[in-house]
Amino acid sequence: MRFASHVLLLQLATVSAVVAVSAGVFAVLGVQQLQREAESSALAIARTVAEDVEVRDSVAEFSEDPGTPTNAAVAAGPLQPLAEAVRTRTGALFVVITDDHGIRLAHPDESRLGERVSTSFEDAVAGRETVAWETGTLGESARAKVPVYAPGVGSRVPVGEVSVGFAAASVFTELPSLLGGIGVTAVVALAIGVVASVLIRRRLTRLTIGLQPEELSALVQDQAAVLDGVGEGVLAITPAGEVSVCNERAARMLGLAHPIGSPVRELGLPAPLALSLESATGDTAVQDVVVTGGRVVYVDVRRVERGGRDLGTVAVLRDRTDLDALARRLDAVATMTNALRAQRHEFANRVHVVAGLIDADRVQDARGYLADVVARGPLKFPVEHADRIQEPYLQALLGAKGIEAAERGVLLTLGAETLVTGAVAEPEDVATVLGNLVDNAISAAVDGDEPRWVEVELLDDGEDLFLTVGDSGRGVANPAVLFERGDDRQPAPADAVHGHGFGLPLCRDIARRRGGDVWLVDAGGAAGSGGGAVLCARLPGTMRAESAHPPIERGRP
């Protein structure tokens, strides 16, 4: 039997037991109430009769006679018709009047007049009122016995008693209707309980999605194992827009503290993530890349449904900051490696040319050739003033970027302030930051007017490297939000050139982790001096204070 059916049967059994007990209690209370009403009525009638002056006088006369009155004498007295009149009007079973010896002076059966009563009369003669259920000559009845006092105002001398009784059959005439009402009420209450139990069962089935307790227990264990055992962040949102699940990894990636139960709109999530959570459907997953807190996070959002019921939205967050940065650095290293390989090949060719010219005794031509090589650099990179930098890593990287720029119609130039005397110690970080800044500048120059150019200036100071990259583009449209996409988890409008993608946030993150920074010097365009944008970077600990080129040993070419 399924769990919901178990619960339904337990509820029905509980409701039935409660209704049965309640009906029984009400029935007992109803019977007791009828008994008390009969006893109260008998006592009230007996008191009224006992206070009647004629009754007191007549009973006192019989009590003063030392003999036992005869049936005829009693029947001729005033008490018998008076008692019968009261009995007839009140519907009582009997109204009996006795003297202080218990001799009947009034009784429904006249043949018993002058006889002693069959039940105790001592309490009444002693001045005490009693109410009880007793069985006498007329059967079981609810009877009240009240003393009759001697004539005179304030007299408290008992001279007899008045006993009034109601038959059990007359007392319980209303019992069938009472029990019927209790029965109908019990049936209605039971029907309400059954309907409520069925509705509760249906709701329980919906809430548990038809799962059994052992399945729910296993599900909770699996959920805890998955949420705590994977490296991804998991964020679940209910259909009402509240956070139902958020493991520690997701909270750390999104910078959230105690998000469970909070409305998702109040969490300050990055705009792309919030939009993905709202637009997710059950058919397709929504995938996006979000920069939050200086981290690159891949987001996979899905709408979850089961049995046609919307269970909310689940977002899986994967931190790819290190992987993305590593991929960029590997690309930069691969670019530099290819450039160095080309440089070595070209350098060998040029050495052969120089050697051939010297062998042909054309020294002047060799000198002119070498001067041209010095002016344009060791490779024919389309980089103006390439001879201003001799550091091989930077030379190779800028040479490769110069080729890319030339293919897009942009001239890459080394500025007049360029001076690098050391060697690159951290080529990956330098290549990532410099490569991103140059790529953005090339895109800006392509978007600008002729002539299109990018100028780079490099300056080292001990172990620090300073970069300045300017372009001929239209400038930064909104400088205030250029870096916000990565810092404050705020939606930055896509700039036409600078800052689309995640290059700038990553560059700033790399620089700040080293104790440096990346900043915008001049926004250019309408917001600046009328030219393109200028960005600077400081990368501490990325240089070695040594000569970029070791001295050539004498005696060798």
Side-chain angles (χ1 to χ4, degrees):
M1 187 179 297
R2 301 185 67 83
F3 175 66
S5 300
H6 271 294
V7 173
L8 175 62
L9 292 180
L10 288 175
Q11 287 177 329
L12 291 178
T14 303
V15 170
S16 300
V18 170
V19 170
V21 171
S22 300
V25 170
F26 277 111
V28 171
L29 293 177
V31 171
Q32 292 178 349
Q33 179 67 23
L34 293 176
Q35 290 175 339
R36 285 193 296 269
E37 289 179 355
E39 293 171 355
S40 298
S41 298
L43 181 60
I45 295 170
R47 285 174 177 174
T48 302
V49 173
E51 289 297 328
D52 187 88
V53 176
E54 187 175 2
V55 171
R56 294 174 67 179
D57 292 340
S58 299
V59 172
E61 290 177 2
F62 281 105
S63 297
E64 291 175 357
D65 188 353
T68 302
T70 63
N71 181 283
V74 174
L79 296 179
Q80 178 65 15
L82 186 149
E84 284 299 298
V86 172
R87 185 183 69 82
T88 303
R89 288 197 304 270
T90 60
L93 175 63
F94 61 83
V95 175
V96 175
I97 302 175
T98 69
D99 61 8
D100 53 355
H101 299 292
I103 302 303
R104 297 188 181 98
L105 304 178
H107 193 275
D109 185 0
E110 291 187 5
S111 63
R112 294 185 177 275
L113 293 177
E115 297 177 359
R116 187 181 297 273
V117 293
S118 59
T119 58
S120 175
F121 61 91
E122 284 79 5
D123 288 336
V125 173
R128 294 188 296 271
E129 296 179 348
T130 59
V131 177
W133 282 77
E134 295 178 339
T135 301
T137 57
L138 298 178
E140 183 182 11
S141 62
R143 60 186 64 186
K145 297 179 180 181
V146 176
V148 178
Y149 296 106
V153 178
S155 174
R156 305 303 295 175
V157 179
V159 294
E161 73 164 354
V162 174
S163 177
V164 178
F166 285 89
S170 64
V171 170
F172 297 118
T173 54
E174 297 181 0
L175 185 59
S177 60
L178 175 64
L179 294 179
I182 294 176
V184 171
T185 304
V187 171
V188 172
L190 185 60
I192 294 175
V194 170
V195 173
S197 299
V198 172
L199 294 178
I200 291 175
R201 178 185 181 277
R202 294 178 58 186
R203 177 166 178 78
L204 183 62
T205 302
R206 284 200 310 270
L207 291 177
T208 60
I209 325 175
L211 297 177
Q212 301 304 302
E214 59 275 9
E215 294 175 322
L216 292 175
S217 177
L219 185 62
V220 171
Q221 294 175 355
D222 295 342
Q223 177 183 346
V226 170
L227 293 180
D228 297 335
V230 299
E232 288 80 9
V234 178
L235 181 68
I237 311 298
T238 65
E242 295 182 352
V243 178
S244 58
V245 176
C246 182
N247 64 356
E248 183 179 355
R249 182 75 172 173
R252 187 165 58 251
M253 277 192 275
L254 299 176
L256 304 177
H258 309 295
I260 304 297
S262 301
V264 68
R265 295 181 179 273
E266 299 178 3
L267 297 179
L269 298 178
L273 176 57
L275 182 60
S276 299
L277 292 173
E278 294 179 359
S279 59
T281 62
D283 299 330
T284 58
V286 178
Q287 297 178 339
D288 200 355
V289 183
V290 178
V291 174
T292 172
R295 313 294 292 176
V296 176
V297 179
Y298 287 162
V299 181
D300 188 345
V301 182
R302 294 178 182 270
R303 176 77 64 175
V304 181
E305 295 181 356
R306 177 163 179 165
R309 180 185 173 194
D310 183 11
L311 302 180
T313 306
V314 175
V316 178
L317 312 175
R318 300 177 179 89
D319 189 349
R320 293 295 182 263
T321 303
D322 296 337
L323 182 61
D324 189 76
L326 181 60
R328 289 175 179 271
R329 293 173 183 177
L330 289 177
D331 290 341
V333 171
T335 300
M336 289 190 294
T337 301
N338 293 332
L340 289 173
R341 187 182 296 111
Q343 183 183 31
R344 178 181 177 279
H345 183 270
E346 185 67 17
F347 183 76
N349 292 336
R350 290 181 177 181
V351 168
H352 288 306
V353 172
V354 172
L357 290 174
I358 292 176
D359 291 340
D361 207 16
R362 297 172 59 181
V363 178
Q364 192 63 32
D365 291 338
R367 290 181 179 276
Y369 181 76
L370 290 175
D372 182 63
V373 170
V374 171
R376 292 186 300 176
L379 283 177
K380 291 184 179 180
F381 291 139
V383 179
E384 189 173 1
H385 303 302
D387 57 312
R388 291 175 177 172
I389 187 168
Q390 301 300 318
E391 208 286 328
Y393 289 102
L394 296 177
Q395 192 178 68
L397 177 61
L398 292 174
K401 295 300 180 183
I403 294 174
E404 295 177 6
E407 291 175 352
R408 302 178 67 181
V410 178
L411 176 63
L412 180 62
T413 304
L414 286 177
E417 302 298 326
T418 297
L419 178 61
V420 177
T421 59
V424 174
E426 297 290 340
E428 293 86 357
D429 287 349
V430 172
T432 299
V433 175
L434 178 58
N436 274 289
L437 295 180
V438 172
D439 287 342
N440 286 346
I442 292 173
S443 298
V446 170
D447 190 60
D449 300 327
E450 293 285 353
R452 298 182 176 90
W453 53 265
V454 173
E455 183 177 271
V456 179
E457 289 187 349
L458 304 172
L459 180 65
D460 64 340
D461 181 14
E463 295 183 352
D464 294 355
L465 178 63
F466 295 86
L467 315 174
T468 301
V469 180
D471 58 70
S472 61
R474 303 180 186 275
V476 177
N478 194 349
V481 296
L482 184 61
F483 294 100
E484 285 188 6
R485 186 172 188 177
D487 286 350
D488 301 327
R489 295 180 287 134
Q490 299 294 327
D495 190 88
V497 177
H498 299 89
H500 55 193
F502 307 99
L504 286 179
L506 283 178
C507 290
R508 170 173 276 187
D509 182 61
I510 291 172
R512 288 183 172 178
R513 280 188 292 181
R514 304 192 68 90
D517 202 356
V518 177
W519 66 94
L520 180 66
V521 176
D522 187 357
S529 59
V534 178
L535 287 94
C536 287
R538 182 172 69 88
L539 302 176
T542 57
M543 301 295 294
R544 290 195 307 268
E546 62 182 37
S547 174
H549 297 284
I552 299 176
E553 297 182 14
R554 293 186 179 277
R556 291 192 177 185

